[in-house]
Amino acid sequence: MTFYTYGYLTTHHNTWQYARIALLIALLVVFIGLFVHYLRNQWNVKYKDLSIITGTLLLLVLGFQINSLLSLRSASQQTGQITATVQQVATTLKVKPSRLSINATSTGDNLLVKAPDGYYRLNYNSDGSAFVLEKIALKQPKITLVKE
């Protein structure tokens, strides 16, 4: 079972976004350069073909970037919900949120919280607006803790 620390949930970012943006900018610069070179030398078809290939790659990477940004936005909203839940649990247990770990990165059923004094299960009500903490004992837990 994997538990995520509060620090991991608040600082976990997708670093591939920056690499994709850099790739996108590099492809845009190459595309503009090839297209301008083709416009200057219209008799040389090689630059036209290279600019079409680069433009196609640019559109492909742009599509991946937009898809990834939408996924990242959704994931950050879910992470915001789970961090708010961890903060509420910390308030209830009267500990700092940094001392708690939770077994999911998004809200849902069967959430377990690892606190300094044991493990707790979060039982939400039917509309998900409130929860009850139930102390549990795990038998033979195989815990992996993911930190920042």
Side-chain angles (χ1 to χ4, degrees), residues 46-139:
K46 171 175 68 172
Y47 295 108
K48 176 184 173 186
D49 294 340
L50 286 174
S51 65
I52 289 172
I53 291 169
T54 307
T56 304
L57 283 174
L58 181 67
L59 290 175
L60 182 68
V61 171
L62 184 64
F64 283 141
Q65 182 67 21
I66 290 171
N67 185 27
S68 180
L69 285 175
L70 292 175
S71 298
L72 182 65
R73 186 175 134 214
S74 173
S76 65
Q77 287 175 348
Q78 290 176 350
T79 301
Q81 292 171 349
I82 199 72
T83 55
T85 301
V86 171
Q87 289 171 351
Q88 290 174 347
V89 170
T91 304
T92 304
L93 294 176
K94 297 179 181 145
V95 296
K96 292 181 182 178
S98 60
R99 300 197 59 202
L100 297 179
S101 301
I102 196 158
N103 72 330
T105 56
S106 61
T107 57
D109 294 336
N110 300 323
L111 289 178
L112 299 178
V113 176
K114 181 181 180 291
D117 62 337
Y119 295 93
Y120 293 88
R121 180 181 321 155
L122 283 141
N123 292 323
Y124 283 96
N125 63 356
S126 59
D127 63 355
S129 62
F131 60 85
V132 174
L133 281 174
E134 176 186 5
K135 189 163 185 164
I136 60 171
L138 297 178
K139 294 183 180 181

Side-chain angles (χ1 to χ4, degrees), residues 32-45:
I32 290 171
L34 288 171
F35 191 69
V36 167
H37 196 62
Y38 165 70
L39 290 177
R40 286 187 183 166
N41 306 315
Q42 290 188 0
W43 52 270
N44 197 344
V45 182

